[in-house]
Amino acid sequence: MKGERHMEKQAALLSVADLTVAFGGLTVVKGISFELHPREIIGIVGESGSGKSIACRAVAGLLPSSAVATGRVMLEGRDLMRLDETQWQQVRGRDLGMIFQNPASHLDPLRQIGRQVAAPLIRHQHLGRRDAQERAVELLADVGIRQPEMRVKSYPHEFSGGMKQRAMIAAAIGCGPKLLIADEPTTALDVTVQARILKLLKDLNQRHGLAVILISHDLGVIADICSRVVVMRQGEIVEQGPTGQVVGDPQHAYTKLLIDSQPSRRASRGWRVETKSAETSPFLAVEKLSVSFPVKRGLVAGLLNRGEATFLALDKADIRVAQGETVGIVGESGSGKSTLARAITRLNQPSGGAVKLGGEDVLGLAGEGLTRFRRRVQMVFQNPYDSLNPRLTVAEAIAEPIWRHGLASRREAAKQADDLLEMVELPHALRDRKPRQLSGGQCQRVGLARALALRPEMLIADEITSALDVTTQAQILDLLTRLKQERDLTLLYISHDLAVVSAFCQRVYVFKAGRIVESGAAQQVLTEPQHDYTRELVGAVMHLAPSSQKKGLEPDHAVG
Amino acid sequence: MGHLQAILQRLLQLIPVLLGITIVAFLLLHLAPGDPARLLAGDRASAETIAAIRHQYGLDLPLWRQFLTYMGNLLQGDIGQSLRFQRPVVELIGQFMWPTLFLVSYVVVLSVPPTLILAITSARKPGGLADQIIRLIGVAGLTIPVFWLGIMMSRFFGVALGWFPVSGYGEGFLDHLHHLFLPALSTAIWFIPVLTQSLRAALIDKATADFATAAKAQGASQRDIFWSTVLPNAVLPTLNLLGVLVAFIIGGTIIVEMVYAVPGLGTLMIKSLLGRDYYVVQGLTLVFAVATVLITLAVDVLTAIIDPRVKL
Amino acid sequence: DDAIRIASPYQTTVLDPMRSAAAGNIETYGLLYARLIRRNLETGALEPGLAESWETSADGLTYTLHLREATFSDGSPITAEDVAFSLDRIHGDKQSAYPAPLSAMESVKATDPKTVVIKLKSVFVPFLGNLEIWNMGIVSKADVEKRGLEKAFATVPVTSGPYAVKEWKPNQKLVLVPNKHYWRQGYPKSDAMVELLEIASPETRAAMLKSGEVDVVRGVEWAQVDELKATENVDMRLEPSTVIYMTLLNETREPFSNMKARQAAAHAIDNKALTKAITHGYATPANTTLPGAIEYHDKSNPGIAYDPAKAKEELAESGMTGREVKILATAGAAEQQMALLLQAQWQAIGLKPVIVNVDNAAWWDATGKGDYDAAATWWYNETPDPDLAVRWAVCGSCGSASFNTHYDNKKVDDLVEQGTRETDPAKRAEIYKEIQKITTDEVSQIPLYYAPNATAYSKRLSGLKLTSSLQWTLEETTFVK
Amino acid sequence: MAVISLGNDAKVRRGRQLPWTMIMAIAILGAWILLAAGASLVAPYDPDAVDIMNMMASPNAQHWFGTDQVGRDVFSRVIYAARVDLFMCVAGVVPPLMIGATIGLLSGYFGGFVDGFFMRLYDITAAFPFFVLVLAIVGVLGPGLTNYFISLALVGWVTYARLVRAEVLTIRDSEYVQAARSLGYATRIILLRHVLPNAFGPVIAYAVSDAVLVMLAGASLGFLGMGAQPPLAEWGVMISDGQPFVQQAWWICFFPGIAAITLGLGLAFLGDGLAQIRRRQVAQ
Ligand SMILES: Nc1ncnc2c1ncn2[C@@H]1O[C@H](COP(=O)(O)OP(=O)(O)OP(=O)(O)O)[C@@H](O)[C@H]1O
Ligand SMILES: Nc1ncnc2c1ncn2[C@@H]1O[C@H](COP(=O)(O)OP(=O)(O)OP(=O)(O)O)[C@@H](O)[C@H]1O
Ligand SMILES: [Mg+2]
Ligand SMILES: [Mg+2]
């Protein structure tokens, strides 16, 4: 918006020309070209698996060794493709920050978050250890991590999905780079935090002239902060131009489809299937469920202090879900949503409370009973990449539960796996790939397909569409709706996407800091929120306006 | 659980371990053929003489009585007397312990830096020329029998060149360093490839991990990435291996100690075994057990320090 | 403070001369404890030791010995009491490791402080010679009574010989210093300390000698002899010894309880070729069951011929063809080689030999219990007189079970007794000749070869050697300037 | 969706192509296996035939590698020994590896009491003097190769257990293991299919070294009656038996040494190749 005025006059900050990336014989980025001017924020949107992440990695010179990139990438007149490692070191982190799509695996499991955030500061800004640590605390506070003084000492495995993502962002912006490549930086964030991050980026953009390449599936977000947008599909750029123009008057058919699939534009797609209320016959009942984690301290502290400090991640949560119902869980990042899901599926040991499925106590199950329960209740993990065994191919991973549970022979299971792949909109060609060879959205769908393979009665879906473009997202939601109708599938749907939740779920629970702060019929809660936090949440949502003739985008609220 | 508590608990668990080892060792030793009395008295001794000696040392008692006596003494902190030398076992172990401790530390000091250098060079470009050469040398180092190497080195450096003594332990720190150089080197030549292979494999594994890429994306130099990200993540299996091997060589430097006539625990062990000096072997076993447990504990503590996901 | 360092595969384990007859200890005992009688190094004749003079009664049953003025290492006088005490222990103590040399003794008495009277049960010709053996060393009665048996010999015993203990690190080394009170004035000639080091590996011993870390290496392997001979500053010597290498045969069970089978086994062995092969020609093939260097060894005995055809025949006759033969072998190049050659040669005549490798302790265990069929080994005789040798190797009633072979021939046993009583050397020679003939013909053991002591010395020493009774002549040793 | 391109197939095929180290490994190990299998055809002499008249003959036309200290043909023995040594590499490594991997797996995965129990067992075993065990086993069961393998299995597992445990400790809480749990797989399946394969890297690397060590350790234990018993040809024993004669007859231990080194190389290549294939399995 403001940037638009300058951009013609200035030389491009980054210019990508004819960039092609191939894995062996498979070309995944096909000669794309675009430019980015100083102080500009551009968005990249596109189909899942269209090569957005790979293209950005190519720009930063961080492709896996099996990839071959050709073309030209110029940053401030330097040809990045020609840099040697020492030159790259000067560029990366200082001139060019990178936020990876999958924050979990990109954090060093052995080092405290604070140190990882501080590392680039020490390296590029030559801060002292202590100063850098202080700065890291500030940065974590900037990205909305509560109690940052304490959290700098946490390790990645103690962070929630969204918190890891924010830590990654903090590390990337720490040195004030000229260019930030942000690969879906807000997928795991609730809207308030998302708004906060976006505001942070905008601030940096305005005050320090940070240029950003933002990959996102959320056109609302793109529309909010990007001056230009690039639309990708199947490794090619199908359309690019000023945001207003592309969103308001899409030229390419795919762009049109994309914009029309925006949840806010198709609220009445008929996803909601009414069922009996939870009060009469709860299928799943979570009663006063609490989960706490030990707080790990340094060795010296550990040596001296015998007592155990704990952190209450979930505090007496009560949840009821009726058969066939779709219940949404929304809430702050780090508020215990995933913890709840894990506790229900017996992956966490609750410190108190009960979980009942069809009246049966879940927490007491063992052996055969537990196996039966697992078949009935399936969960899709928030972090799709890490939840796939790196050694198994897509087809193996999906087929395994089928034949393991004796639902079909191995051969039959392989066939079913192919069907499932199709159901989740994954091309057949991916069946022999390993997780490392998939895009974020593709992994996510593999996780979903695997969970569905057992034909569970209940599905706990932890952010299953966050990495999907809206078109694919819509297809997945269609699929779930169909399953609900056909199989009476019960869904616990954890999501940050309020639009989807309100369109898709019957009831919703709102989480904050380990507690349920509000619950009720989804539409009601999300249109007339009662609790302050819910209000804040709802207020922070950005959408594309229903019709977008002129500029087409405006947040419901100014982000404060 | 606090670390201190965990450590204390582990030390407490030492008791059943020691008990277990004592029992097993006692039984096995007495199962093995051979008679200390015969070895003591020599070839010409008559059956009556042997019987008299056996009686004097209580070797003619039923096994369980011998064991009870032994345990009784053990509980009072007395680990017995050498049958062969009529000296307290403690004294013998005290005499032979230092060369071994020195040797083991020497081996570790000599091994760890080359291991790091070789594994790093090798893992930096897997399949590259340096890597191939290092692996070949590693294989050679592994395949050359320690005793052969020991003898060759003592001939060459000790006899032909006269640079190093070919036996003993010497007096004083520098003298020890001088005397034990060849033994330590002979062991290290076998030690280094084993560790290098393990570390190299782990390094290559972790060097391609996403978090290494992330560090790269933050502009960290190769060296930085290596030292602060890849190495810590890769070092755990090697650390464990090192722990096992160090525990192993405390009692297992036998060949090298024999070749270089180092008066260490390995020598003591083998001589006591060959002489069926039961209580010395028992005592050594206890010492090895304590050493192993301490080393394992140290490795576990280090692991817990390095990896926050691991609890002690 | 230069020292004479001796590297040996054998170790000192007990300092009480009565308690052990194991190699390693016997060398030490000779250095620590003086005996009543000495043997002249050149002529081999008996000479006065602690006993200045002696008389033998006409019936040969009473020996009266007169002690010289001498003191122990602690300065106390050596008295007849000490002598009686020492000999009594060797003779009568249950723990005495080798009482055989005194088997004929009835009593020993101190009649006055300087006179000892020994009474024999029967005439025993080799008696005086036996008093020279290493375990006949005189120990201090007063000290044993004062410190108690255990303590007296635990670390620093009171000694009567040329050396006293300075420091003993069991399993590692024994450090000796000259005994200032030794009765031979001016001996040891050098006042250097002596270090007896136990070094198990032959290669290491050789390397230590070459690098100057030791002065003497005992037990040089045959394979190293040539190399050490060619080494400057090393005097590689093959010294005469009473060592005999032979193969024990277990005569309590088949196949070797059968004499024909034993003879077949003996005929199957080409011991000339074997000797040459194993010892590189440094040893002499053995022709009888007794050591070649003892008195009355029968040089004229033709020995057992190598005759595989006859061996096969004999084996067939014995009916033992195809029998399994368990050959015990300990580590060591020569032992292994020997076992392999025995195996090959016996296999050739139709036995089924199996080699079983064991350590020394297990070897003694198995041979003692009779759990073996054949075992190549060696033994030596402490004195030139053959009496102890025959008692050890071929006498079934002398307590040694003919070195665990259980060879038992009444005739031989009788001859052994006659031999000890016969004073006429010519007649004695006949007796021992007969013993050798019978036992060789009946193959009590299979004689292999007479091995010299292969010992390497640094050329900076002179006067040092290892006698055929395995004693170091350290008191005569000096440094070459 | 047509992300499929023709190149994909080519790609996949290339992925299946063997790494060159694997090819080398197959060549070397294959050659040894062939030689071992056809030893009676290849070897010109009976490996145990003693020739007292022709001892320590230097390499010549009749005896390519010379003869040893009792006149046996070194070449024939080297060839025949391949049988024993190949077998040793398998029998001496696989049982300890399997036992160790199992214990490490259970210990690391279950933690708590199981871990405590197995780690104390580990302490006992690791501290236990191998020689005492060997001595007792030889004493009770008799000397020989089989008993060598038994004692190796009793003791050798500890290294593998520690290595696997160390890896499992970090893998057990990973999301894909949790996912496997939530899919209701039997614990056995999770352990074997999802945890173990991912914990196996260091094990492969060590197993290769271990195989070589096993081959040579038997020879050094010869003095206790361990390892291959004479006259059975085995490289380690040949080397150590030939050792005292190295001055006069270097060939006695030289050729078995070379043989051992080539086999070691083959194993090292195998380890390397397997590791490479493993890595490829995760990503190209
Ligand atoms: N290592 C690899 N080997 C082979 N193919 C790969 C590899 N990594 C990614 N791909 C493929 O490249 C294509 C582009 O991947 P990329 O990660 O760029 O997608 P994306 O646009 O970021 O999708 P998403 O929105 O789902 O994250 C995908 O089809 C993916 O399967
Ligand atoms: N293993 C652990 N150890 C310590 N703390 C943990 C652990 N796992 C989660 N937590 C903490 O528990 C809280 C809840 O985490 P959880 O993953 O449930 O959040 P979430 O609601 O799913 O957040 P997000 O939307 O960001 O994924 C967070 O503060 C997190 O730091
Ligand atoms: Mg992506
Ligand atoms: Mg979460």
Side-chain angles (χ1 to χ4, degrees), chain C residues 152-228:
Chain C
F153 297 104
T155 49
V156 185
V158 171
T159 66
S160 53
Y163 287 91
V165 175
K166 174 154 187 277
E167 186 192 19
W168 184 28
K169 288 190 163 177
N171 277 322
Q172 187 183 342
K173 64 179 177 185
L174 176 67
V175 184
L176 305 178
V177 284
N179 173 7
K180 301 237 158 49
H181 299 277
Y182 184 44
W183 66 267
R184 284 184 82 194
Q185 294 294 316
Y187 290 87
K189 282 184 182 163
S190 157
D191 55 8
M193 289 192 301
V194 170
E195 285 186 19
L196 301 173
L197 303 164
E198 190 215 340
I199 309 292
S201 152
E203 285 83 12
T204 308
R205 290 197 297 272
M208 288 169 80
L209 179 64
K210 283 193 264 180
S211 69
E213 282 164 52
V214 295
D215 302 302
V216 184
V217 165
R218 165 119 157 72
V220 175
E221 302 250 316
W222 302 118
Q224 293 169 342
V225 171
D226 284 335
E227 194 199 343
L228 285 177

Side-chain angles (χ1 to χ4, degrees), chain A residues 146-147 150-151 154-166 187-190 291-296 311-314 329-342 348 382 462-463 494-496 511 513-514, chain B residues 311, chain D residues 173 175 178:
Chain A
R146 287 166 195 278
Q147 294 180 286
M150 185 191 105
R151 285 306 198 171
S154 293
Y155 289 93
H157 73 279
E158 297 167 328
F159 264 32
S160 78
M163 290 160 79
K164 286 182 207 164
Q165 200 160 38
R166 283 178 276 163
T187 45
L189 303 181
D190 62 281
V291 178
S292 57
F293 293 105
V295 175
K296 180 131 184 166
F311 171 80
L312 202 55
L314 193 64
I329 307 261
V330 298
E332 200 183 23
S333 164
S335 60
K337 304 182 295 295
S338 303
T339 304
L340 169 73
R342 286 163 185 274
N348 275 345
Q382 179 174 15
D462 196 350
E463 301 280 1
I494 303 174
S495 176
H496 291 303
F511 275 60
Chain B
K311 290 188 201 76
Chain D
D173 292 326
E175 291 224 329
Q178 295 194 9

Side-chain angles (χ1 to χ4, degrees), chain B residues 208-233:
Chain B
T208 51
D210 281 344
F211 50 77
T213 313
K216 199 168 160 190
Q218 294 173 346
S221 61
Q222 290 290 1
R223 173 186 299 171
D224 239 20
I225 297 177
F226 176 80
W227 284 107
S228 48
T229 309
V230 177
L231 186 64
N233 274 284

